[in-house]
Amino acid sequence: SAVISQKPSRDICQRGTSLTIQCQVDSQVTMMFWYRQQPGQSLTLIATANQGSEATYESGFVIDKFPISRPNLTFSTLTVSNMSPEDSSIYLCSVGRGTTNTEAFFGQGTRLTVV
Amino acid sequence: ILNVEQSPQSLHVQEGDSTNFTCSFPSSNFYALHWYRWETAKSPEALFVMTLNGDEKKKGRISATLNTKEGYSYLYIKGSQPEDSATYLCASGGGADGLTFGKGTHLIIQP
């Protein structure tokens, strides 16, 4: 398994500001994923972050809004920029394990409320 | 089926009763089917990862089945206990493409 430390666990932010979420893994991993869950919706993949390359964003998500850093194989950050109330969600980081990344492990999540 | 769908959305079960819920997923380009248990303020906990058609897996009182040809999986809980109360998530995919999740089944066990 993998132990993933994610912080902050929750925050209340003013609209127009930005929040950076950090994710630390207890071992080196190639791929890290960022998800969000808006109220009443599914967990949705935002982007995939590989060390040494640009993050790959899913349809509907752009780098200017959700910039991601991946400076090494154990750490990543997701920034939610210029926040609006629609960004209020739970944000989760995840890593893959197994020979083909079949298993996925998650951080504890960041519950963000934008007012 | 284009998305991962779970039913029911929520479920109240009496303590000691058994229950089950459903996950439907696209059967084309199938990679793996995942079940997670998610409690508030905690990490989603992996229950099962299933890849083979007809596969059945069991962990204590919880078991799951998989039909990749028709695109569905069932999760069963036998003899429900209050600590089983959680949201159960189903997800399809994995590998380099990440996971596609359903909205979850919110299970409440009533003493």
Side-chain angles (χ1 to χ4, degrees), chain A:
Chain A
S1 65
V3 177
I4 304 170
S5 175
Q6 184 177 341
K7 58 183 181 181
S9 60
R10 59 174 60 232
D11 208 340
I12 301 173
C13 299
Q14 296 290 323
R15 67 179 65 199
T17 63
S18 298
L19 175 72
T20 295
I21 302 167
Q22 299 180 0
C23 191
Q24 179 76 50
V25 189
D26 67 341
S27 57
Q28 294 183 340
V29 293
T30 303
M31 306 185 75
M32 294 182 76
F33 304 90
W34 287 97
Y35 293 85
R36 78 170 180 188
Q37 185 186 45
Q38 294 177 300
Q41 302 300 312
S42 310
L43 266 172
T44 301
L45 182 64
I46 297 171
T48 304
N50 294 334
Q51 195 267 336
S53 63
E54 292 262 330
T56 303
Y57 289 83
E58 298 298 304
S59 175
F61 298 97
V62 295
I63 187 171
D64 290 346
K65 176 67 176 177
F66 298 101
I68 288 172
S69 78
R70 185 79 203 275
N72 56 54
L73 290 173
T74 64
F75 187 78
S76 179
T77 68
L78 171 77
T79 299
V80 186
S81 303
N82 188 24
M83 288 184 284
S84 66
E86 292 71 38
D87 295 319
S88 297
S89 299
I90 299 173
Y91 292 84
L92 283 165
C93 65
S94 172
V95 302
R97 276 293 168 84
T99 54
T100 54
N101 279 318
T102 307
E103 297 181 82
F105 300 92
F106 291 85
Q108 305 97 314
T110 297
R111 185 178 292 271
L112 171 62
T113 302
V114 183
V115 297

Side-chain angles (χ1 to χ4, degrees), chain B residues 17-85:
Chain B
D17 288 351
S18 297
T19 187
N20 65 85
F21 23 94
T22 306
C23 173
S24 301
F25 56 89
S27 55
S28 60
N29 299 317
F30 175 78
Y31 188 88
L33 192 284
H34 306 246
W35 282 101
Y36 290 88
R37 181 175 177 276
W38 194 12
E39 294 183 75
T40 304
K42 294 185 178 180
S43 308
E45 173 196 355
L47 293 174
F48 304 110
V49 179
M50 307 172 77
T51 57
L52 299 176
N53 183 46
D55 206 3
E56 289 189 36
K57 292 202 172 183
K58 187 175 181 181
K59 182 188 286 189
R61 293 180 292 102
I62 304 176
S63 61
T65 61
L66 178 66
N67 183 321
T68 61
K69 293 184 178 179
E70 297 182 40
Y72 64 84
S73 175
Y74 294 125
L75 188 79
Y76 301 89
I77 301 177
K78 186 177 179 181
S80 303
Q81 299 297 310
E83 58 264 29
D84 295 329
S85 297

